[in-house]
C-alpha cells in the first residue's frame, strides 16, 4: 500500500443498544508494533447507541494515514454477548 491518507469502511450488522461495546474496529500496522512503536493508526469502539439501525448492515468509517513501511491490517474485535456479522471491509484512498 503506497503512503498516503485513506478511509476504510467496515460493513457490519449488529444488535444492541446503549453503551455496551459491540465491537472494536481498528487499523493496525504490524511492522510498527514489531519495532516497539504503537502500530494503531485508528480505532473505534462500536456501541449500541452508534448503530444506524439495530440488526441492519451499515458502514462504519475510520480515517488513517499510512507511512512508507509495513503491512496494514483491518481488524474487528468482538467481545461476544451480542450478534455481529461482518459483510466486507473496503479501503479508499483520499
Amino acid at each position: 500500500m503506497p503512503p498516503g491518507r485513506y478511509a476504510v469502511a467496515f460493513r457490519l450488522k449488529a444488535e444492541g443498544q446503549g453503551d455496551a461495546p459491540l465491537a472494536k474496529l481498528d487499523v493496525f500496522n504490524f511492522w510498527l508494533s514489531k519495532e516497539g512503536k504503537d502500530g494503531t493508526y485508528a480505532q473505534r469502539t462500536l456501541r449500541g447507541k452508534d448503530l444506524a439501525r439495530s440488526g441492519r448492515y451499515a458502514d462504519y468509517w475510520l480515517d488513517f494515514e499510512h507511512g512508507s513501511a509495513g503491512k496494514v491490517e483491518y481488524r474487528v474485535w468482538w467481545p461476544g454477548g451480542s450478534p455481529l456479522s461482518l459483510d466486507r471491509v473496503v479501503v479508499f484512498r483520499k
Side-chain angles (χ1 to χ4, degrees):
M1 171 182 281
R5 293 178 46 226
Y6 294 86
V8 58
F10 294 84
R11 186 157 179 82
L12 299 169
K13 176 172 67 172
E15 295 179 14
Q17 53 187 332
D19 287 330
L22 304 174
K24 180 182 171 186
L25 314 176
D26 76 6
V27 179
F28 187 79
N29 183 324
F30 173 75
W31 293 105
L32 289 178
S33 69
K34 197 173 175 183
E35 294 175 353
K37 301 174 185 174
D38 182 8
T40 304
Y41 283 153
Q43 66 182 355
R44 176 182 181 183
T45 299
L46 185 64
R47 303 179 185 283
K49 66 182 181 181
D50 300 325
L51 298 177
R53 291 185 69 176
S54 184
R56 301 266 179 120
Y57 280 103
D59 293 328
Y60 300 94
W61 294 85
L62 291 174
D63 293 325
F64 67 97
E65 188 162 344
H66 176 53
S68 60
K71 295 182 180 178
V72 179
E73 300 175 0
Y74 311 96
R75 308 185 303 183
V76 177
W77 177 77
W78 176 62
S82 296
L84 177 72
S85 299
L86 174 66
D87 180 37
R88 64 181 170 255
V89 176
V90 181
V91 181
F92 300 93
R93 186 154 190 173
K94 291 181 124 184

